[in-house]
């Protein structure tokens, strides 16, 4: 994506910033910054998700859906599309089945 950055967001993340015609709706630098934030959140929240799951109060899906609700809430530092990506990434990191998330409307 960017010749000056060694960080290359995966296509699944870059697609959050693509128009219908396939062009990026944000600068490459901004996409990389947003990716770093979302990847960091996914990595940091996996430990919290495991703790919630192992406390016995929730199933894997419920833990991830709860995390999504918090990430997608008004005032969040991430968009609803980014929140969905983060939860999908968490499921991947945790080796859990990804839940069916609410449909996000293009922002």
């Amino acid at each position: 994506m960017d010749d000056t950055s060694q960080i290359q967001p995966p296509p699944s993340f870059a697609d959050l910033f693509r128009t219908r015609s396939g062009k990026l709706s944000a600068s490459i630098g901004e996409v990389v910054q947003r990716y770093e934030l979302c990847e960091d959140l996914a990595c940091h929240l996996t430990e919290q998700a495991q703790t919630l799951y192992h406390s016995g109060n929730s199933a894997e899906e419920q833990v991830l859906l709860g995390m999504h609700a918090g990430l997608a809430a008004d005032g969040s530092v991430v968009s609803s599309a980014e929140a969905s990506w983060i939860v999908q990434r968490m499921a991947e990191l945790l080796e859990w089945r990804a839940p069916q998330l609410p449909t996000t409307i293009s922002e």
Side-chain angles (χ1 to χ4, degrees), residues 36-99:
E36 288 178 307
L37 171 68
C38 292
E39 179 68 19
D40 286 348
L41 280 170
C43 291
H44 289 299
L45 290 173
T46 55
E47 184 177 336
Q48 184 178 356
Q50 286 177 324
T51 300
L52 288 169
Y53 175 72
H54 290 296
S55 70
N57 295 325
S58 297
E60 293 172 357
E61 180 179 26
Q62 291 307 104
V63 169
L64 292 173
L65 288 172
M67 293 281 187
H68 182 263
L71 288 164
D74 287 343
S76 177
V77 298
V78 298
S79 69
S80 58
E82 290 170 330
S84 295
W85 186 89
I86 291 167
V87 170
Q88 296 291 332
R89 178 68 174 132
M90 288 174 61
E92 181 181 330
L93 292 169
L94 292 162
E95 297 181 357
W96 292 357
R97 183 175 164 189

